Amino acid sequence: MATTATDSAISLFKVLETGDAALAADVVGEAFHNREAVNAPGAAALPGPAGVLASGAWMRSAFADLRFPILGTGVDEEQGRVFVRLRMQGRHVGPFVLFRDGKLDKAVPPTGREIDFEQIHVLTVRNGKVVGHEAVRDDVTMLGQLGVFPPRPAVAGRLAAWKLTGRDRRAAAAVSEAASAAASVL
């Protein structure tokens, strides 16, 4: 069980790494809201631990060995906020599906490449539970590490082939189903 607001905040990232439903129930409040869920499957926008579990399933479906090493933390006790600076790391082994307004935006076919980039998360913690999340992420660096931005010819060709053959839609459906299944564990 988390003993401080910082412990709860750090534990949230352990839930994303592992999908541990018991830990999610322990550190995520029922009123949890993820402002960053706009690019994730619909289930990631669910309130409470369900949304966190869905977000983790979505990320782990694309990135093996997903981990979030913590670089530093800060606390604003007056506002009940914990600031976490970390790295997101893993290997891109499954389609990385991005959504916009609940619909497929883009599916990046697996590249086998490693990702390793910084993020800053602002977590609102009330009564020992995380109830809010927003982030500043370096997504351009991540997309660069995947070869998507600027587009490399081989990756651009694979993106186009996936779109033309419908693999992107099938990947989006599979990822959405996995996220929904993870959200329903509790």
Side-chain angles (χ1 to χ4, degrees):
M1 177 164 194
T3 57
T4 69
T6 300
D7 292 336
S8 294
I10 291 171
S11 293
L12 178 82
F13 297 100
K14 291 297 175 198
V15 172
L16 295 173
E17 291 174 348
T18 65
D20 184 335
L23 182 58
D26 188 41
V27 299
V28 180
E30 291 300 322
F32 176 83
H33 171 72
N34 180 7
R35 192 185 85 164
E36 309 308 320
V38 297
N39 296 110
L46 291 171
V52 175
L53 292 168
S55 292
W58 167 58
M59 287 186 275
R60 290 190 314 277
S61 73
F63 301 105
D65 302 319
L66 181 67
R67 57 205 175 279
F68 297 95
I70 307 297
L71 301 175
T73 61
V75 178
D76 177 347
E77 290 183 25
E78 187 176 305
Q79 297 292 316
R81 291 203 174 97
V82 178
F83 304 88
V84 180
R85 184 173 154 247
L86 55 75
R87 299 193 76 78
M88 180 175 169
Q89 301 172 331
R91 178 176 295 280
H92 183 214
V93 297
F96 181 43
V97 182
L98 298 169
F99 297 81
R100 183 179 299 168
D101 299 323
K103 295 183 177 23
L104 170 65
D105 182 30
K106 172 183 306 170
V108 181
T111 62
R113 294 172 180 241
E114 294 284 334
I115 60 162
D116 182 0
F117 64 102
E118 282 194 35
Q119 303 177 344
I120 297 173
H121 297 263
V122 181
L123 304 166
T124 303
V125 180
R126 303 253 188 280
N127 300 318
K129 296 206 179 216
V130 180
V131 296
H133 171 257
E134 49 191 298
V136 177
R137 302 180 312 242
D138 186 1
D139 291 345
V140 171
T141 293
M142 178 189 63
L143 293 172
Q145 291 171 353
L146 297 177
V148 175
F149 185 80
R152 293 192 174 136
V155 175
R158 289 185 70 208
L159 285 168
W162 271 51
K163 189 171 187 93
L164 288 171
T165 62
R167 286 186 79 181
D168 62 342
R169 290 185 304 280
R170 292 190 297 277
V175 167
S176 293
E177 185 177 320
S180 292
S184 67
V185 168
L186 295 177

